[in-house]
């Protein structure tokens, strides 16, 4: 257990169980130097408890980096509820989790994540105020898409010399909550869209509504385009796929796009500009963090504009140091999280 904490540099690891509801929950708090830890709650089945703890620790670390570079007064944390084999009352399980969060006195604030919904957050909210993305707060995805759109403009400017998206060919992998909203904005800005999704219905919608060109999922990464926007699952850029890319830049919403750190260096060596995923996709986190603090939509929109400024700063450092933007972003975040 302590080895996992040391590897991820976790501040604290909290466990709770409740035999009545079947709750087995882990809360990993990575770093609270900049503020209380904020991060989603996963509700998934795991092969064993160690894997669940490792997942929470790794994801909590990522949240600290994302919040730091998003300029939020927020630390990084993550919760995992191990999905029981038999569940009798989902609402009661999430209420028990709400009571667990309350015992931490605000050091951890939870949010929706894989396997959880805003209805689950509403159950949690019956026992604690340290919860975001409830039904009344709304879906953060449109804000993530807005941030990615602005980030694509900054990426086009840095790599292609202009942020005018008219006629730019953008490949979008995944037309879900974020990907479709992004496609709408890119279409409105005059970009030509090449799209893929495992769900043929989503692709059909983009073809009909946005004049997008459909591409088979297996072929999208190798299809020539100016900017590739991965908006599906993580790990899409790996040793096998990185050589297939035929784009000038990668800038998309998916979390953990790089299967390993060295892929960033391969992209750099190939002259493909990479927008660090946790910088460009931080719009949703900005939205939930600021909504939770009671900020206005105007203030949230103003904060979202900082995403492209941060990316531009990262690109400038990367160019000056001849390093991958992913390495530069990590170094900038670590300077904020571990000063001195
Ligand atoms: P979603 O589940 O709504 O959509 C994902 C879409 O990608 C689905 O339509 C799925 O069919 C498609 N897809 C999956 N694998 C694919 C493949 N190999 N080829 C083509 N399509 C594929 O998810 P979302 O909320 O839109 O999030 C998309 C990504 O962005 C995820 O990686 C998520 O972690 C990340 N992200 C989301 C938010 C947010 O606010 N929703 C915030 C930050 C990061």
């Amino acid at each position: 257990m302590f080895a996992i904490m040391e590897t991820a540099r976790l501040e604290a690891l909290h466990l709770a169980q409740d035999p009545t509801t079947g709750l087995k929950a882990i809360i990993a708090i990575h770093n609270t130097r900049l503020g209380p830890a904020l991060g989603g709650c996963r509700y998934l089945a795991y092969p064993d408890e160690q894997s669940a703890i490792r997942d929470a620790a790794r994801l909590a670390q990522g949240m600290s980096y994302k919040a730091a570079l998003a300029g939020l007064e927020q630390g990084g944390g993550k919760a995992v509820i191990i999905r029981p084999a038999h569940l009798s009352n989902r609402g009661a399980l999430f209420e028990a989790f709400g009571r667990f969060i309350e015992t931490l006195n605000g050091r951890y604030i939870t949010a929706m994540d894989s396997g959880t919904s805003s209805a689950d957050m509403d159950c949690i909210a019956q026992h604690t105020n340290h919860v975001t993305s409830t039904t009344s707060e709304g879906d953060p995805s449109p804000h993530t898409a807005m941030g990615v759109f602005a980030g694509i403009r900054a990426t086009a400017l840095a790599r292609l010399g202009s942020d005018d998206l008219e006629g730019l060919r953008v490949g979008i992998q995944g037309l879900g909550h974020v990907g479709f909203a992004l496609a709408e904005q890119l279409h409105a800005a005059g970009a030509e869209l090449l799209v893929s999704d495992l769900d043929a219905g989503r692709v059909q919608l983009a073809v009909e509504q946005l004049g997008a060109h459909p591409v088979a999922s297996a072929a999208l990464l190798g299809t020539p385009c100016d900017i590739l926007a991965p908006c599906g699952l993580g790990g899409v850029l790996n040793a096998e796929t990185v050589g297939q890319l035929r784009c000038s830049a990668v800038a998309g919403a998916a979390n953990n796009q790089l299967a390993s750190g060295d892929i960033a260096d391969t992209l750099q060596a190939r002259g493909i500009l990479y927008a660090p995923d946790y910088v460009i996709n931080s719009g949703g986190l900005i939205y939930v963090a600021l909504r939770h603090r009671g900020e206005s939509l105007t203030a949230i929109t103003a904060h979202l504009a900082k995403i492209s400024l941060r990316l531009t700063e990262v690109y400038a450092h990367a160019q000056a140091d001849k390093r991958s933007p992913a390495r530069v972003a990590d170094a900038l975040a670590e300077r904020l999280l571990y000063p001195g």
Side-chain angles (χ1 to χ4, degrees):
M1 194 99 81
F2 283 104
I4 295 175
M5 290 184 72
E6 269 173 44
T7 305
R9 301 178 81 171
L10 282 194
E11 249 176 50
L13 187 62
H14 301 272
L15 308 180
Q17 59 135 3
D18 176 44
T20 314
T21 57
L23 178 78
K24 278 190 180 170
I26 299 147
I27 294 178
I29 295 181
H30 177 259
N31 188 306
T32 53
R33 205 189 89 79
L34 301 172
L38 170 60
C41 167
R42 290 195 156 184
Y43 177 63
L44 299 173
Y46 284 87
D48 51 55
E49 291 168 2
Q50 286 281 316
S51 320
I53 292 171
R54 225 173 257 120
D55 203 26
R58 180 181 62 85
L59 294 165
Q61 184 175 31
M63 292 308 297
S64 286
Y65 282 60
K66 188 185 285 204
L69 282 202
L72 294 169
E73 290 173 1
Q74 220 70 72
K78 206 84 175 184
V80 163
I81 299 178
I82 300 174
R83 199 171 74 206
H86 304 288
L87 177 69
S88 54
N89 186 337
R90 184 173 174 121
L93 180 102
F94 280 94
E95 282 195 40
F97 182 58
R99 287 191 289 274
F100 174 29
I101 293 174
E102 184 62 12
T103 64
L104 300 180
N105 294 318
R107 289 190 67 235
Y108 168 69
I109 304 162
T110 201
M112 214 166 94
D113 206 303
S114 304
T116 54
S117 65
S118 49
D120 296 327
M121 299 303 118
D122 292 347
C123 294
I124 294 170
Q126 291 185 33
H127 299 279
T128 183
N129 290 327
H130 308 302
V131 52
T132 66
S133 46
T134 53
T135 311
S136 64
E137 285 180 353
D139 180 8
S141 306
H143 303 273
T144 304
M146 275 171 65
V148 175
F149 176 73
I152 286 179
R153 270 199 197 284
T155 305
L157 182 63
R159 181 62 180 81
L160 306 167
S162 167
D163 67 357
D164 183 358
L165 303 184
E166 181 78 43
L168 209 76
R169 285 163 67 87
V170 183
I172 305 180
Q173 183 190 51
L175 293 165
H177 288 90
V178 180
F180 200 90
L182 173 65
E184 288 175 321
Q185 293 176 60
L186 289 168
H187 172 66
E192 190 183 335
L193 305 179
L194 308 158
V195 300
S196 79
D197 198 294
L198 302 178
D199 177 346
R202 306 291 298 171
V203 174
Q204 189 55 30
L205 214 59
V207 170
E208 285 167 10
Q209 294 186 1
L210 311 173
H213 307 289
V215 179
S217 283
L220 187 83
L221 294 184
T223 300
C225 61
D226 295 301
I227 295 186
L228 176 73
C231 297
L233 295 182
V236 284
L237 303 177
N238 54 44
E240 195 188 317
T241 58
V242 72
Q244 298 170 10
L245 301 186
R246 298 287 175 268
C247 57
S248 301
V250 175
N255 275 317
N256 306 317
Q257 289 169 34
L258 307 178
S260 57
D262 58 317
I263 300 295
D265 304 323
T266 310
L267 287 169
Q268 174 79 358
R270 289 202 53 206
I272 297 173
L273 187 63
Y274 174 68
D277 47 17
Y278 65 83
V279 180
I280 193 170
N281 75 13
S282 60
L285 175 67
I286 290 170
Y287 175 76
V288 295
L290 299 189
R291 268 304 299 261
H292 189 63
R293 284 165 188 249
E295 299 279 3
S296 67
L297 261 183
T298 313
I300 294 172
T301 307
H303 201 114
L304 284 175
K306 293 183 184 171
I307 294 177
S308 55
L309 298 179
R310 181 64 92 182
L311 264 184
T312 302
E313 180 193 354
V314 167
Y315 291 151
H317 281 295
Q319 194 180 21
D321 302 350
K322 296 192 171 41
R323 296 175 73 199
S324 157
R327 305 262 182 215
V328 169
D330 285 353
L332 286 174
E334 281 160 16
R335 213 175 294 163
L336 293 165
L337 296 170
Y338 310 108

